[in-house]
Amino acid sequence: MKRSSLVGRYALISPAAILIFVFMLLPMLLMALMSWLEAGQFGGVKWGSYTPEAYLKFLFDRDLSDHLVFNTDYLSIFSRSFQLAGITTFLTLLTAFPVAFYIALQTPKHRTWLMLLITIPFWTNLLVRTYAWILLLRNGGLIDSSLHSLGVLNTPINAMYTPIAVQIGLVYAFLPFMVLPIYTSLEKLDWRLLEAAYDLYANRWQTMRRIVIPLAAPGMVAGCILVFVPALGTFFIPELLGGAKTLMIGNLIQQQFGVSRNWPFGAALSFALLAVVLMFMLIYALRFRGKGSLTQ
Amino acid sequence: MTALANAIVIDNIGMVFGAGLGAVRALDGVSLEIGSNEFFTLLGPSGCGKTTLLRLIAGFEQPSTGSISLYGQRLEGLMPFERPVNTVFQSYALFPHMSVAQNIAFGLEMQRKPRLEVQKIVADMLELVQLTGFEARKPAQLSGGQQQRVALARALANRPKVLLLDESLSALDAKLRKEMQLELKRLQLETGITFVFVTHDQEEALTMSDRIAVMKNGKLEQIGTPTEIYDFPRSRYVADFIGETNFLTGIAEANGLRLPDSQWLEVTHSRPPGSSVDVAVRPERAQIARDTNGLNAVVREVVYVGTDTVVYLEIAKEVFRVRMQNHGGAAKMVSVGDQIKLVIPPNAVRILEAES
C-alpha cells in the first residue's frame, strides 16, 4: 500500500520532471560541458579536447609568445551591461511606482482599462517597437525634425547609436515589467491604513515612506528582478539602437555563436552571467527570507 | 452643560456626497456641543450619518456647509495630521508590517517625541490596555480583542484632546464586547479624554455614554443622557430604537386619550382635543392585575426569559408587552387567553411628537 502510493507519487511528478530535465537541465549541462571544450574551426566544438581556454579568454589575452596578458575588453562590456541594466532598473522603478500608485487609486472599472493600456504594447513584437524608436530617434526623425521646426535646435540631435539611445530603448521595453508587480502589491493595500497614518500625525511623505513603500516593497523587489535580469541579457535593443559602439553581454554571447564561431567562449560568458544573476537572487532570497507573509 | 467647557462645537454641519441627481445628503444641519471629558455617543442605524460626522471631526472629509471647532479652534482646512484628535477605526487599521510596540509608537515618532519618552509611553500604554509582553508581536499574531486594544493604545498614546471611536467594538464577540465596554469606560475616566463613540448598538450606548445623540437620516433626533433618552424619548423613532417599547394611538380629550376600542387612557397632555396622539409605554412600567381598574386586555402569549417574564397582550387590536420580574411570582397568575386588566400609571406614559 505504502509502496504503491510512493510509485504513484513519482508517476505523477514524472511528466514535469522529464520536461524540466529535457528542456532545461539537459541544455544547461550541454552548455556547461561546451564551455570547457576547445572551439571548432567552423563553429561547434571539438569533442573530447578539454581546456579552460574559454574562461581564461574572458579575463586574459595571449600575446605573440603565448603569455597571458590581462585584458579588460570583456570586463568593460560586462560592467557597461550592468550599468545600463542598473540604470534601467532605477529609472523604471522611479517612473513605474507613481503610475502603479495612480492606477491602484482608481475605481476597479478604471483600473482594468488602465492596466489594459499598460499591456497593449505586448500585443506588438518588441523588435518592431524597437525599430519604431529608430524612426523617432534618428536624425531627421520625428524628435529631431520637430525640435528643428520649433527652432529649439539647429544641429542634428545625433541620438542614434549612443548609450543614451540604448538606455531609452531599455527603459521603454521593460517599464511594464516594473508596473505590473508594483501594481499587484499596491492593489492589495488596505487604504484605511493611510487614513490611520494621517490620523497619527504622519504627513503625506511620511505616510508614503513608512506605510506605502514598506508594504509595496515585495512588489518593487520583484519588479527590479523582472527588469534587471532580462535587461542584462538583451541583445537586439543595443544592436538596433546602439550600433557596434554599445555592446552588451547579450550581443557578445550572440556573436560567439554567430560570426565569431567560438561556442565555448559564448557558453562560458553565459555561465559567467548566470553566476552573477544567481548571486543577486541569493542576496534577495536571504534578505527577504520569511518576510513574504507580511504583505497579507 | 454651560458650566462645562465645550470640547467640540459642531455648528450647522451639512454634508453632501456626489452631485446632481446622484447626490446623497449624508448630514443635514447638525449642530451639537460635546463637553470636555464627556463620553459622547452618536447612535443610529447604518446610513444615518454618524460615521460621516466622526470622519468630519477627524478631518477625513470636509463638510459641505457649517463648521466644527475644537476647544475654540476652527478645524476648517486642517489636515487629519494637523488635528489634536485620534481615531480608533472600525477595522482597527493596525500597520501589518510593524510590531505592536512600533504601532503604538508611530504617532509619537511622527510628532518627533524623544526616544526615551516614546519608550516610556509605549510601556505605559501596554500596561493600560493589559498587553505588556506583547511588544514584539505582529498584529496578525493577535486575537481580535487584542488588536482592538492595540488600536486603542495607539490612539491614546498621543494623549489626544478628543478620541474618536468608530464602531470600535462591533467586530468583537458578545462577551468580549461587554468586557471592552467596561474597559473603555474605565479608560475614559482614567485618562480624562473626551470620547466620541459611534455605534448602532443601543445597549452599548446606554452602558457607556454620558450623553447620547440619536441620529436619523442625517439629522439629530434627540440628545440627552441615557436616562433621558430611555425614559423620555421624544419621538416614535427614538422610543423604538432604544430598548423595547409599546405604542398606543388615541384621540386627545381632556386629561387622557380615547383609544380606538373606546377605552380610556389617563394621561396629562397639552394637545388640542380631537387630535391624534401617539404614546409610548416601556414594558416594565406597565402592570397586569385582575381586580382593579384598568384597561381590558387579553393574554396572547407568555414568554419566560430568565429573570423576567414577558406577557404579550392584545389591546385595541395592538400588541402590548408587559415585562414582569419573576422573583415576585406575579407572572405565575396569567395564562394564555385570560381576560385581565392592564394598569398603566399616568407617569409611565410618554407623549410622542407628531411624526412629520
Side-chain angles (χ1 to χ4, degrees):
Chain A
M1 183 64 195
K2 246 185 186 167
R3 198 180 166 78
S4 69
S5 78
L6 199 67
V7 171
R9 212 178 298 171
Y10 278 121
L12 277 176
I13 62 160
S14 60
I18 291 169
L19 218 66
I20 288 171
F21 180 76
V22 173
F23 291 107
M24 232 185 98
L25 219 53
L26 210 58
M28 290 277 273
L29 288 170
L30 202 63
M31 290 281 281
L33 180 66
M34 218 176 254
S35 69
W36 291 99
L37 289 171
E38 216 173 290
Q41 217 163 352
F42 307 104
V45 288
K46 285 183 191 160
W47 295 101
S49 44
Y50 296 96
T51 164
E53 197 62 32
Y55 289 96
L56 287 175
K57 189 177 162 64
F58 180 56
L59 292 174
F60 302 100
D61 238 355
R62 285 191 189 278
D63 65 6
L64 290 173
S65 48
D66 226 21
H67 286 118
L68 291 174
V69 181
F70 190 61
N71 173 10
T72 57
D73 286 358
Y74 299 123
L75 271 183
S76 71
I77 292 177
F78 254 65
S79 81
R80 181 193 298 137
S81 301
F82 275 96
Q83 206 179 323
L84 282 167
I87 295 172
T88 304
T89 310
F90 178 72
L91 289 177
T92 50
L93 185 62
L94 219 61
T95 37
F97 187 84
V99 173
F101 193 76
Y102 175 80
I103 297 176
L105 280 173
Q106 305 305 308
T107 59
K109 198 180 134 200
H110 275 113
R111 279 188 227 162
T112 319
W113 280 107
L114 290 169
M115 286 319 287
L116 185 72
L117 287 181
I118 296 286
T119 47
I120 271 182
F122 289 122
W123 298 7
T124 316
N125 192 304
L126 181 57
L127 199 59
V128 178
R129 286 182 280 136
T130 310
Y131 270 110
W133 272 102
I134 298 180
L135 300 179
L136 289 171
L137 290 174
R138 69 173 182 196
N139 289 341
L142 194 64
I143 295 171
D144 188 53
S145 58
S146 39
L147 284 177
H148 281 269
S149 57
L150 287 169
V152 182
L153 214 68
N154 49 23
T155 51
I157 52 169
N158 291 326
M160 276 303 292
Y161 310 118
T162 62
I164 291 175
V166 178
Q167 192 65 74
I168 291 173
L170 287 172
V171 169
Y172 164 76
F174 291 108
L175 189 59
F177 296 100
M178 189 64 94
V179 175
L180 291 170
I182 297 179
Y183 168 74
T184 309
S185 62
L186 285 177
E187 194 195 18
K188 287 184 293 187
L189 190 72
D190 181 357
W191 297 100
R192 289 173 294 195
L193 296 179
L194 273 67
E195 280 190 351
Y198 281 159
D199 190 68
L200 293 163
Y201 313 108
N203 59 32
R204 288 191 181 85
W205 164 241
Q206 287 165 324
T207 303
M208 187 56 89
R209 199 173 62 82
R210 296 285 305 267
I211 310 297
V212 180
I213 291 177
L215 289 173
M220 290 161 79
V221 173
C224 287
I225 291 173
L226 282 179
V227 169
F228 185 78
V229 173
L232 201 57
T234 48
F235 65 93
F236 64 85
I237 292 172
E239 181 146 318
L240 293 179
L241 301 177
K245 285 183 286 178
T246 317
L247 276 184
M248 287 178 72
I249 311 167
N251 305 97
L252 196 60
I253 294 171
Q254 187 219 5
Q255 278 177 8
Q256 304 315 313
F257 289 97
V259 287
S260 303
R261 288 182 195 159
N262 194 341
W263 288 22
F265 186 44
L269 286 171
S270 303
F271 270 91
L273 182 61
L274 183 68
V276 176
V277 170
L278 282 179
M279 201 178 70
F280 274 106
M281 300 286 273
L282 196 70
I283 292 169
Y284 166 72
L286 291 176
R287 173 79 179 71
F288 285 89
R289 185 169 47 188
K291 290 196 181 172
S293 60
L294 283 186
T295 52
Q296 286 151 18
Chain B
M1 262 319 294
T2 43
L4 279 172
N6 278 330
I8 303 174
V9 177
I10 292 167
D11 185 22
N12 199 24
I13 282 284
M15 184 72 195
V16 180
F17 288 108
L21 288 173
V24 177
R25 183 171 288 278
L27 289 173
D28 190 2
V30 172
S31 294
L32 59 91
E33 286 161 11
I34 299 171
S36 195
N37 304 344
E38 198 173 19
F39 197 123
F40 193 90
T41 299
L42 297 167
L43 176 66
S46 61
C48 73
K50 57 193 191 301
T51 295
T52 305
L53 190 56
L54 198 77
R55 291 175 60 80
L56 284 169
I57 300 171
F60 299 132
E61 316 275 356
Q62 296 296 324
S64 308
T65 55
S67 71
I68 300 173
S69 36
L70 198 95
Y71 288 100
Q73 185 198 8
R74 303 264 292 212
L75 293 180
E76 286 103 86
L78 289 185
M79 295 294 292
F81 47 83
E82 295 167 322
R83 300 181 180 208
V85 166
N86 287 111
T87 310
V88 180
F89 294 87
Q90 184 171 14
S91 58
Y92 312 144
L94 297 177
F95 305 127
H97 57 300
M98 295 184 194
S99 69
V100 166
Q102 286 169 328
N103 263 286
I104 297 173
F106 188 84
L108 300 165
E109 282 171 8
M110 291 301 113
Q111 294 175 93
R112 307 198 180 286
K113 290 263 162 61
R115 183 174 296 270
L116 279 174
E117 194 188 331
V118 172
Q119 283 172 357
K120 189 182 177 310
I121 295 175
V122 169
D124 288 351
M125 282 300 138
L126 282 167
E127 203 186 317
L128 188 72
V129 297
Q130 294 160 13
L131 279 177
T132 308
F134 287 74
E135 289 84 349
R137 297 269 190 104
K138 290 278 165 58
Q141 297 168 299
L142 300 176
S143 71
Q146 290 167 337
Q147 289 184 23
Q148 207 273 339
R149 283 183 283 168
V150 174
L152 198 61
R154 185 177 70 172
L156 282 173
N158 306 292
R159 289 266 150 190
K161 288 181 173 166
V162 173
L163 185 72
L164 308 173
L165 301 108
D166 183 11
E167 305 251 3
S168 303
L169 303 181
S170 61
L172 305 178
D173 62 67
K175 188 168 174 291
L176 201 54
R177 190 153 64 213
K178 286 257 161 48
E179 280 174 30
M180 285 309 296
Q181 284 172 10
L182 298 174
E183 191 88 334
L184 273 183
K185 189 69 199 164
R186 176 180 69 86
L187 283 173
Q188 195 257 336
L189 292 173
E190 267 177 40
T191 57
I193 293 170
T194 305
F195 277 34
V196 182
F197 186 82
V198 158
T199 185
H200 61 264
D201 185 330
Q202 46 100 11
E203 199 188 321
E204 209 163 87
L206 292 174
T207 312
M208 295 191 288
S209 320
D210 293 324
R211 281 197 307 152
I212 299 171
V214 184
M215 294 184 68
K216 177 192 181 186
N217 297 334
K219 286 182 179 166
L220 286 179
E221 192 73 9
Q222 186 173 356
I223 304 179
T225 62
T227 331
E228 283 167 4
I229 296 273
Y230 185 82
D231 283 341
F232 300 95
R234 234 171 56 186
S235 64
R236 196 182 179 104
Y237 176 82
V238 175
D240 200 24
F241 197 79
I242 314 273
E244 276 185 311
T245 308
N246 299 298
F247 294 109
L248 291 170
T249 306
I251 304 297
E253 288 175 24
N255 299 322
L257 300 177
R258 184 68 63 191
L259 297 180
D261 62 352
S262 309
Q263 296 205 73
W264 179 250
L265 179 66
E266 191 189 331
V267 58
T268 39
H269 64 85
S270 54
R271 296 291 172 83
S275 60
S276 174
V277 176
D278 286 340
V279 297
V281 181
R282 294 290 180 195
E284 70 275 12
R285 299 292 306 271
Q287 287 136 30
I288 49 180
R290 287 192 188 277
D291 310 315
T292 51
N293 291 327
L295 299 164
N296 295 314
V298 183
V299 177
R300 286 294 176 215
E301 212 171 330
V302 180
V303 179
Y304 176 77
V305 288
T307 53
D308 298 340
T309 295
V310 180
V311 181
Y312 289 77
L313 304 172
E314 188 183 314
I315 175 167
K317 297 216 162 60
E318 300 262 6
V319 176
F320 194 104
R321 281 163 296 190
V322 176
R323 184 179 269 266
M324 292 179 293
Q325 289 196 334
N326 283 333
H327 77 264
K332 287 188 184 127
M333 66 186 215
V334 291
S335 50
V336 175
D338 284 0
Q339 298 273 347
I340 51 90
K341 297 285 184 189
L342 170 63
V343 181
I344 304 175
N347 66 1
V349 180
R350 300 287 168 250
I351 309 285
L352 301 174
E353 280 178 2
E355 294 282 303
S356 50

